[in-house]
């Protein structure tokens, strides 16, 4: 296991390099002069010349990449001209809220998805299954941001139970309770949408597993039905679902962009949207790099869990 | 001495099991281990062995689906290996193959007409009416009605589908047909039909067969000569009757004694199994009742004393001829 | 032969059977139709502002759905917006499908460095949360509908590439592809004629399941103000504009969202239907998962006319296959009994119902689609088919146990051998975990597994086929059962391994027989299902020959093999190959065994029998011959009478 973990950790290095190349290329592909684009409204002649020299735009692309990448490694993400502060500072400030939101949404997604999928499969073709199927169908078909808006109009405008936006009440005491009250709606909206995919896959996968020969064997051994379903079928279904959960982290991180926008959550997603509209390219680059890295780490975790659960992969990796 | 139609000369095939970071192979599996054999025109050669012994890999190398890691395969005294280049058309027309699973060997989305006609288009320069004529001819040979042409593969039973596969293989009038377990997926009553058909075709058309099977009785029906393979190597070869009745290798002996037959119950005895992992030497020695210290050296396939018609065996301490 | 259909026709028929997907198709058709005729509908211009009439609520005169903050008619804007969303969504989907499938096809077919090169790129794109990558692309190229389309398409390419590559890889080693290569097909020919037509369903399924996503993603970009730019509006940008008015005029944002929801729901419903039809795993109609026990229809009580000495007595067992509202019999009045300590062979060709018989005995036949419509299975005089589930579960694995054909599929892949053995021991015996562990070890050595301590911790895939089957035998014998049902236990094994397993089973039977004399218990009774007459003669004292769901002959093994009475048994024996017998087999039995459920009426063998006459169309019973043999053949009845 340790060997595999190290092996897998080392494998993330080329992935991160690949990500940085893509992010770099996207910037390099910007039509026109990147320096002007980066500076946007701040593009005075002297600023532009200074930035050009800083980015080394007169040098070959490969050299530019290495300058940029080594800057990243030393924590130098450049400077946001729109915000007039280092990109890294802004990112670090915004990282916490995004992780909090995405993490809580993932919890909702995993718990709700697995349980309702399992339930739907076991109660196949009953009203439980049909209800859950309808629910998840809406979940995968509705735009997350629209669901967020609808939630606001119900729980804030109509019922007045929950605050509509932000992380804390302005000028409040910033207590944990206040944070939770603000977190509930965005986290559940995001988690609910993400859990629909998981629920549907869990159902399909469970139905497939229940047809397998080893479930028949379990029944032939006289196992009680609960044991046959949980110990045998669900355990096997889970093995296949773990990587999907990893991928779903990507959905949650991407969906956070909308949810943060709708609920005015001060995270990286909302920052990215603002940065794109002000053409704050370095900030976009930094944000994308950070979120992609978090996603890679999520997938790494999913991979390690799956490795621990599935003896068959253990062998093929030695 | 007759010209050999197909010849394997010290052919080895290795598969990469695992690659390391830099794409270099760190673990290999030797599926076929320096085998040498040949088949004369107009005969049928049986290759028997259990799953994983390398018999199917040999068939796939003979038709060019795999390239040998080392050694040479010759067809009509010409070395294969550059199949895709010159003479490719002639070779493809001359060497065909029939697979085990009749339903998997026909493209589910093509009508039988397309399947057969494509084969003719690719392998011959027949015009449309010549192709039609040839298709009619070959369907008659495998005893299927003309209406077969307009149907899809899923409309046929296993036996019928296998007849179609045989028709496809024979349509270009090949000289050599490789049959890879062609009757293993079929029921006994259908299996006998196909075996009879194959026997008739061989007599009628003079095609040479290389017949691969795990079933000794099937091979005995069709093939006057047989090779026995174990773990990638030939352990014994010779005329079928002689080899089965006067077997010299302990593996052949075990194989034959293990075949259950109606009316003859197996002498079931407790088997002991050693757990040897050393790759050197005779591969069968951990299951062999007569294994001794010599067996850690590679045995050589050599003619057994007093044999008629080339009976070879690779064993340091072969069975004596049963009285 | 099956009725003649073309694949396309069959596709529509199957799709139509799924009511939900038909609803989806209709809804989608309606939306499409509305969008097509929008320019000719008597609607106000969607972009004409009318500040006097701003933020009208729905159902006001002239404005069915009200107006937005600039007084523009919402209905008109919604229809025009849907047009834009649909076009962008579908173009993006098709572009992604085209490029992605091509990459996947080429990578999967050529493999090697082409594959690793292409897939490295694809994996790198996959390493981004895809919405984020879309944002980054739009960030670089600037907001705009075309750029959004481009971004969404790129982001979805990897998904298609991976799916298609996987499907291609599983196809390239298929025998029909190999046959085409041997037949001289060029790379282009193989890709175009053999692979593409078979991968097309996969591509269609992927398109139908991603089209909804694509529309959502496009709407998302527009919502953030990065897609459609004013005055052009798509559904997403309308939602984005309406967001600011959530508190004052909620309908401005509710309505576009609803339209997206309906559009995507109908796409997903249709997609689910398409997937169900095209996914080979979901074919065959058996969509419902098997229940814990086979459904038993009749409530008939023990027939008990004759008290039998049999350990397991099967009377009149009829199992049917329920498919599309039709019940097709798979077993027709199967009768036999298994005496204590006896080994009975049940032989027949594929589809004759021997496995269904085996599974029906402990109500394990998959239900649905199978159901037992009549008959009893008595264990020591008690009908076990109609026991309450909990009591039946107490019998399974304890008094009646099973060994199945494929030991890899029948063992749970993620549990160790030890866990699976201990599970069954502790289920039926109250032992401490230590004692059951010791018991498991002794069982493993009883089935002659070398170094059982290490094997306890092994997973099924780490053992060879023969070793796995030994483990299955150990599991079956763990609670000293009275009846062992072995369903083709050696068919998947090599012949030398088969001999070892048969010898093991034989020895274990002998030991239980010896033990039984001392403990006053009856020995283990075995029902051995196989298609191999040779195997039968090796270990069974009696044999029942099955054909077309019926037992056609029953008697002592030795005598049946020497002098078969039923024409089928005779023909079967005549075409069974015997090694070293020096005889050529002549042709087998004409025709093929009838498929399960498609049995001819009357004698099941009448379509292939040489001596069949018109009376053979009538049902015939098992006839007891003076020799004690039972035969189901009219001809024997006449000879006997």
């Amino acid at each position: 296991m340790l060997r595999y973990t190290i092996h897998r950790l080392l494998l993330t290095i080329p992935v991160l390099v690949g990500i940085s190349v893509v992010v770099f290329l996207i910037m390099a592909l910007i039509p026109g002069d990147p320096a002007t684009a980066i500076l946007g409204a701040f593009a005075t002649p002297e600023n532009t010349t200074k930035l050009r020299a800083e980015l080394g735009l007169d040098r070959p692309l490969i050299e530019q990449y290495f300058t940029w990448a080594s800057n990243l490694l030393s924590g130098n993400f450049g400077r946001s001209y729109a915000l007039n502060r280092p990109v890294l500072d802004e990112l670090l400030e915004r990282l916490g809220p995004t992780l909090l939101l995405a993490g809580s949404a993932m919890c909702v997604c995993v718990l709700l998805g697995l349980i309702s999928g399992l339930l739907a499969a076991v109660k196949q073709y009953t009203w439980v299954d049909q209800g859950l199927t309808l629910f998840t169908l809406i979940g995968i078909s509705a735009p997350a941001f629209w669901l967020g808006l609808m939630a606001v109009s119900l729980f804030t405008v109509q019922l007045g139970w929950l605050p509509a936006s932000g992380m804390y009440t302005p000028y409040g005491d910033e207590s944990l309770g206040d944070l939770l009250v603000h977190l509930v709606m965005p986290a559940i909206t995001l988690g609910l949408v993400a859990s629909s995919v998981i629920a549907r896959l869990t159902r399909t996968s469970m139905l497939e597993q229940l047809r397998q020969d080893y479930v028949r064997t379990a029944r032939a051994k006289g196992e009680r039905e609960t044991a046959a379903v949980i110990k045998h079928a669900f355990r096997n279904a889970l093995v296949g679902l773990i990587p999907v959960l990893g991928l779903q982290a990507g959905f949650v991180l991407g969906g956070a962009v909308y949810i943060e926008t709708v609920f005015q959550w001060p995270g990286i997603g909302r920052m990215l949207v603002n940065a794109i509209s002000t053409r704050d390219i370095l900030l976009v680059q930094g944000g994308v790099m950070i979120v992609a890295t978090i996603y890679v780490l999520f997938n790494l975790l999913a991979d390690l869990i799956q490795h621990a659960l599935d003896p068959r992969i253990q062998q093929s990796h030695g | 001495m007759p010209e050999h139609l197909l010849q394997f000369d010290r052919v080895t095939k290795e598969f990469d099991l695992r690659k390391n970071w830099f794409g270099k192979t760190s673990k290999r599996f030797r599926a076929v281990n320096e085998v040498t054999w040949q088949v004369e025109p107009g005969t049928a050669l049986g290759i028997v062995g259990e799953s994983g012994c390398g018999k199917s890999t040999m068939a796939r190398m003979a038709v060019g689906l795999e390239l040998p890691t080392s050694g040479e395969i010759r067809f009509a005294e010409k070395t294969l290996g550059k199949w895709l280049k010159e003479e490719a058309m002639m070779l493809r027309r001359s060497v065909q193959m029939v697979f085990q699973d009749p339903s998997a060997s026909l493209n589910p989305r093509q009508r039988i007409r397309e399947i057969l006609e494509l084969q003719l288009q690719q392998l011959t320069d027949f015009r449309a009416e010549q192709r039609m004529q040839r298709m009619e001819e070959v369907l008659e040979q495998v005893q299927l009605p003309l209406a077969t042409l307009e149907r899809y593969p899923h409309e046929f039973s296993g036996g019928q589908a296998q007849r179609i596969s045989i028709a496809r293989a024979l349509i270009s009038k090949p000289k050599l047909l490789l049959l890879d377990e062609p009757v293993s997926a079929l029921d006994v009553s259908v299996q006998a039909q196909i075996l009879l058909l194959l026997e008739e075709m061989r007599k009628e058309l003079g095609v040479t067969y290389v017949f691969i099977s795990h079933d000794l009785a099937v091979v005995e029906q069709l093939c006057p000569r047989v090779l026995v393979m174990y773990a990638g190597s030939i352990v014994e070869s010779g005329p079928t009757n002689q080899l089965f009745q006067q077997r010299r290798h302990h593996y052949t002996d075990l194989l034959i004694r293990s075949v259950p037959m109606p009316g003859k119950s197996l002498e079931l005895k407790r088997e002991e199994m050693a757990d040897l992992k050393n790759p050197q030497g005779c591969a069968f020695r951990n299951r062999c009742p007569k294994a001794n210290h010599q067996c850690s050296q590679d045995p050589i396939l050599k003619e057994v004393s007093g044999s008629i018609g080339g009976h070879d065996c690779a064993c340091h301490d072969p069975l004596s001829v049963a009285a | 032969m099956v009725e003649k259909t073309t694949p396309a026709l069959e596709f529509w028929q199957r799709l139509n059977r799924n009511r939900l997907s038909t609803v989806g198709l209709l809804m989608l058709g309606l939306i499409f139709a509305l969008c097509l005729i929008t320019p000719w509908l008597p609607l106000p211009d969607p972009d004409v502002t009318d500040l006097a009439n701003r933020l009208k609520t729905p159902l006001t005169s002239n404005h069915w759905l009200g107006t937005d903050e600039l007084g523009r008619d919402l209905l008109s804007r919604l229809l025009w917006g849907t047009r834009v969303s649909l076009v962008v969504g579908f173009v993006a989907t098709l572009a992604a499908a085209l490029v992605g499938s091509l990459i996947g096809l080429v990578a999967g077919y050529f493999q090697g460095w082409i594959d690793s090169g292409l897939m490295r790129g694809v994996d790198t794109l996959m390493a981004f949360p895809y919405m984020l990558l879309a944002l980054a692309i739009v960030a670089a190229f600037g907001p705009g509908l075309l750029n959004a389309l481009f971004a969404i398409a790129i982001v979805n390419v990897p998904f298609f590439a991976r799916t298609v590559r996987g499907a291609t890889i599983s196809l390239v080693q298929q025998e029909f592809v190999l046959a085409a290569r041997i037949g001289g097909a060029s790379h282009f020919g193989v890709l175009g004629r053999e692979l593409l037509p078979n991968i097309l369903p996969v591509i269609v399924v992927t398109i139908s399941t991603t089209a909804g996503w694509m529309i959502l993603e496009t709407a998302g970009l527009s919502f953030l103000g990065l897609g459609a730019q004013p005055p052009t509006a798509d559904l997403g940008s309308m939602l984005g504009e309406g967001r600011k008015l959530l508190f004052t005029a909620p309908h401005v944002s509710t309505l576009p969202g609803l339209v997206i929801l309906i559009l995507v729901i109908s796409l997903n419903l249709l997609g689910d239907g398409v997937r169900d039809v095209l996914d080979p795993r979901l074919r065959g109609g058996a969509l419902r998962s098997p229940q814990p026990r086979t459904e038993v229809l009749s409530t008939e009580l023990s027939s008990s006319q004759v008290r039998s000495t049999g350990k397991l007595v099967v009377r009149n067992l009829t199992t049917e296959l329920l498919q599309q509202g039709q019940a097709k019999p798979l077993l027709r009045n199967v009768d036999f009994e298994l005496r204590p300590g006896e080994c009975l062979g049940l032989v027949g060709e594929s589809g004759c119902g021997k496995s269904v018989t085996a599974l029906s005995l402990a109500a394990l036949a998959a239900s649905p689609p199978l159901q037992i419509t009549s008959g009893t299975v008595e264990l020591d005089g008690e009908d076990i088919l109609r026991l309450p589930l909990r009591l039946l579960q107490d019998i399974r694995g304890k008094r009646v146990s099973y060994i199945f054909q494929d030991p890899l599929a029948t063992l749970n892949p993620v549990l160790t051998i030890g866990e699976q053995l201990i599970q069954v021991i502790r289920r039926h015996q109250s032992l401490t975990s230590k004692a059951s562990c010791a018991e498991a070890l002794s069982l493993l050595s009883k089935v002659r597994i070398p170094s059982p301590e290490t094997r306890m911790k092994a997973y099924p895939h780490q053992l060879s086929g023969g070793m796995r089957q030994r483990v299955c035998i150990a599991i079956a014998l763990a609670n000293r059962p009275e009846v062992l049902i072995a369903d083709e236990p050696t068919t998947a094994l090599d012949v030398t391994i088969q001999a070892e397993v048969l010898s093991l089973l034989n020895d274990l039977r002998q030991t239980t027989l010896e033990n039984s004399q001392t403990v006053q218990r009856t020995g283990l009774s075995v029902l051995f299902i196989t298609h191999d007459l040779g195997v039968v003669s090796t270990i069974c004292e009696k044999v029942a020959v099955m054909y077309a769901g019926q037992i056609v002959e029953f008697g002592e093994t030795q005598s049946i093999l020497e002098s078969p009475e039923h024409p089928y048994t005779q023909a079967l024996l005549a075409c069974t190959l015997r090694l070293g017998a020096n005889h050529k087999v002549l042709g087998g039995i004409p025709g093929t065994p009838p498929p399960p459920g498609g049995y001819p009426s009357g004698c099941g063998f009448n379509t292939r029998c040489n001596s069949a006459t018109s009376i053979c169309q009538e049902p015939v019973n098992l006839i007891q011959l003076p020799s004690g043999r039972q035969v189901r053949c009219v001809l024997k009845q006449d000879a006997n009478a």
Side-chain angles (χ1 to χ4, degrees), chain C residues 9-10 151 202 204 278 308 329 352 355 419 439 463 478 498 551 619:
Chain C
L9 188 68
E10 204 187 317
V202 178
V204 171
L278 292 181
S308 164
C352 74
S355 281
E419 283 172 306
E439 177 71 20
L463 302 183
Q498 162 170 290
I551 289 180

Side-chain angles (χ1 to χ4, degrees), chain A residues 14-15 17-20 22-23 26-27 29-31 121-122 124-125 133 137-138 140-146 148-150 152-153 156-158 164 193 197 200 204 206-208 210-225 231-233 235-236 239 247-251 253-255 257-258 261-264 269 272-273 276-277 279 281 284 287-289 291-292 295-296 299 308-315, chain C residues 20 123-133 135-143 162 213 216-221 223-224 226 236 239 242-243 246-247 250 253-258 260-262 264-266 268-269 272 275 281-282 286-293 359 364 389-398 400-402 404-406 409-415 419-421 423-424 427-428 459 461-462 475 479 487:
Chain A
V15 176
V17 171
I19 287 177
S20 68
V22 172
V23 171
I26 287 174
M27 179 188 74
L29 288 176
I30 292 174
V122 173
Q124 192 192 7
Y125 295 142
T133 304
L137 182 67
I138 295 176
I140 61 159
S141 308
F145 43 91
W146 180 69
L149 287 177
M150 293 301 105
V152 170
S153 94
T156 310
V157 182
Q158 305 286 329
V193 174
V197 177
R200 283 164 64 95
T204 320
M206 272 303 287
L207 291 179
E208 201 171 301
L210 283 171
R211 263 197 292 280
Q212 299 297 312
D213 284 355
Y214 67 83
V215 174
R216 190 183 61 193
T217 310
R219 286 173 175 158
K221 279 155 72 173
E223 291 274 21
R224 296 279 181 229
E225 195 50 22
K231 269 196 224 159
H232 293 271
R235 186 95 205 254
N236 274 281
V239 167
L247 291 179
Q248 209 54 12
F251 175 85
L253 287 169
V257 174
Y258 306 124
T261 308
V262 169
F263 290 96
Q264 308 279 305
L272 276 175
V273 176
I276 290 172
S277 48
R279 309 273 292 155
I281 300 296
V284 174
V288 171
M289 249 343 266
V291 180
Y295 179 49
V296 168
N299 274 324
L309 284 180
D310 191 350
R312 284 163 297 185
I313 341 179
Q314 281 165 24
Q315 203 189 27
Chain C
L20 278 177
D123 286 347
T124 308
L125 289 187
M126 286 282 260
F128 287 91
Y130 53 64
M131 204 52 232
L132 201 71
L133 187 59
L135 280 180
I137 294 171
V138 174
F141 291 98
R162 277 218 179 165
W213 277 121
L216 283 182
E217 284 158 12
T218 330
L221 286 179
F223 171 77
L224 297 175
L226 306 173
L239 237 172
R243 181 164 75 96
L246 187 61
F247 292 81
S253 54
T254 310
L255 287 172
L258 262 181
I260 298 178
L261 179 66
I262 292 169
V264 179
I265 278 191
S266 51
N268 282 332
L269 282 176
D272 285 355
R275 190 197 59 210
R281 281 176 307 177
L282 300 172
L287 286 167
R288 289 195 64 171
S289 44
Q291 297 305 298
R293 66 181 302 166
L359 292 171
L364 276 173
L389 181 62
R390 292 185 77 82
L391 294 181
L392 179 64
Q393 285 170 338
D394 290 339
I395 288 177
R396 289 175 180 172
K398 180 162 175 59
V400 178
S401 63
Y402 277 88
F404 298 104
Q405 174 173 344
D406 178 359
T410 52
L411 289 171
N412 190 332
V414 301
L415 298 181
E419 283 172 306
Q420 302 193 42
L421 250 174
Q423 238 173 28
V424 71
R427 167 68 185 85
H428 296 287
Y459 289 94
H461 70 273
Q462 293 165 329
I475 289 176
N479 296 301
D487 186 2

Side-chain angles (χ1 to χ4, degrees), chain B residues 50-51 60 63 65 92 96-97 99-101 104-110 118-119 122-123 151 155 157 160 168 187-189 191-193 195-196 216-218 220-221 241 244 254-255 258 260-266 268-271 273 275 287, chain C residues 1-2 4 7 173-176 178-179 181-185 193-194 197-198 201 349-350 448 455 470 494-500 503 506-507 533-535 537-538 561 575-580 582-585 587-593 608:
Chain B
E50 294 176 290
S51 51
R60 293 161 63 104
V63 292
L65 287 174
R92 293 232 176 261
Q96 281 294 314
M97 183 161 170
F99 294 92
Q100 171 172 0
D101 186 348
S105 46
L106 301 174
N107 186 341
R109 305 206 171 254
Q110 288 174 352
L118 262 176
Q119 186 91 352
Q122 283 154 1
L123 295 179
R151 295 179 183 275
E155 299 176 50
S157 69
Q160 291 165 325
R168 171 178 54 192
D187 274 312
V188 179
S189 65
Q191 176 176 320
Q193 297 169 11
L195 284 178
L196 188 72
L216 305 182
V218 166
E220 192 189 30
Q221 287 285 314
N241 284 338
F244 284 173
L254 175 69
L255 199 61
S258 300
M261 268 182 284
K264 180 209 109 179
S265 63
L266 291 178
L268 300 171
K269 51 176 195 179
R270 265 187 97 111
E271 76 290 348
M273 240 195 243
D275 246 357
R287 294 172 72 189
Chain C
M1 290 188 196
V2 187
K4 230 169 142 179
Q173 287 303 324
Q174 287 267 316
E175 296 181 341
F176 73 86
L178 298 182
R181 284 170 60 194
I182 297 170
R193 286 204 201 89
E194 313 295 328
N198 285 290
E349 296 179 283
S350 56
R448 298 181 208 150
R455 299 300 158 102
R470 285 159 202 260
D494 276 321
V495 63
T496 56
I497 309 293
Q498 162 170 290
E500 288 166 8
S503 122
N506 215 25
D507 287 359
L533 285 166
V535 170
S537 81
T538 299
L561 294 179
C575 60
T576 301
L577 305 178
R578 290 172 172 79
L579 185 62
N582 267 332
H583 76 113
K584 292 277 173 182
V585 160
I589 312 175
T592 45
R608 298 172 79 193

Side-chain angles (χ1 to χ4, degrees), chain C residues 69 76 151 182 202 208 267-268 358 461 464 517 528 579 585 623:
Chain C
E69 58 178 338
S76 167
I182 297 170
V202 178
S208 68
L267 269 171
N268 282 332
H461 70 273
S464 68
Q517 278 148 10
F528 197 100
L579 185 62
V585 160
I623 300 150

